[in-house]
Amino acid sequence: QVQLVESGGGLVQAGGSLRLSCSVSGLTVSGVHMAWYRQAPGQQRELVARITKGGETEYSDSVKGRYTISTDNAQNKVFLQMSSLKPEDTATYYCIVIIRRMGTWIPSQYWGQGTQVSVSS
């Protein structure tokens, strides 16, 4: 049984910081590629950050320099450290296992339930 459980969301003022956690069971984080996506009301789900099993990271332009994705293999967890938060960062954030296929990154069926981040101005 694969489960991904996000936590750490909340309400924060603009300029503040949050650290999101993704607790993973049923698979080993060090053996897969992981990503964080977010979805704001009325908008499409968008990629925020991804990290490969080799430790390579990539970020969307909107969060680059402000967010950091990382893993703790001993805890089998994935983290998203967010700083200098802006109101436009307000969204539900999801932890996702991703797959590399034919040179393309593809979301797997393994998603968490999401954690809400709200940034006030």
Side-chain angles (χ1 to χ4, degrees):
Q1 179 67 38
V2 176
Q3 282 194 343
L4 290 78
V5 180
E6 301 95 336
S7 62
L11 177 63
V12 64
Q13 295 184 45
S17 299
L18 283 174
R19 183 178 184 247
L20 307 185
S21 298
C22 175
S23 298
V24 180
S25 61
L27 59 81
T28 302
V29 166
S30 64
V32 298
H33 314 300
M34 303 293 300
W36 287 93
Y37 282 68
R38 68 185 181 188
Q39 187 170 27
Q43 300 186 23
Q44 297 185 34
R45 190 170 296 181
E46 63 174 350
L47 175 69
V48 174
R50 59 173 168 245
I51 183 168
T52 71
K53 60 183 180 181
E56 301 166 334
T57 59
E58 188 171 353
Y59 302 89
S60 67
D61 289 340
S62 62
V63 308
K64 193 174 299 180
R66 300 187 298 117
Y67 288 18
T68 301
I69 185 172
S70 63
T71 62
D72 186 323
N73 293 336
Q75 298 183 66
N76 208 42
K77 291 183 177 181
V78 187
F79 303 98
L80 186 67
Q81 178 67 50
M82 306 181 294
S83 62
S84 301
L85 285 165
K86 306 173 181 179
E88 50 263 44
D89 293 320
T90 295
T92 302
Y93 284 71
Y94 299 91
C95 178
I96 307 166
V97 178
I98 57 174
I99 301 167
R100 182 76 168 178
R101 181 179 297 171
M102 301 297 291
T104 302
W105 291 105
I106 302 172
S108 75
Q109 63 179 308
Y110 302 119
W111 296 68
Q113 84 289 345
T115 186
Q116 178 67 39
V117 172
S118 298
V119 184
S120 62
S121 60

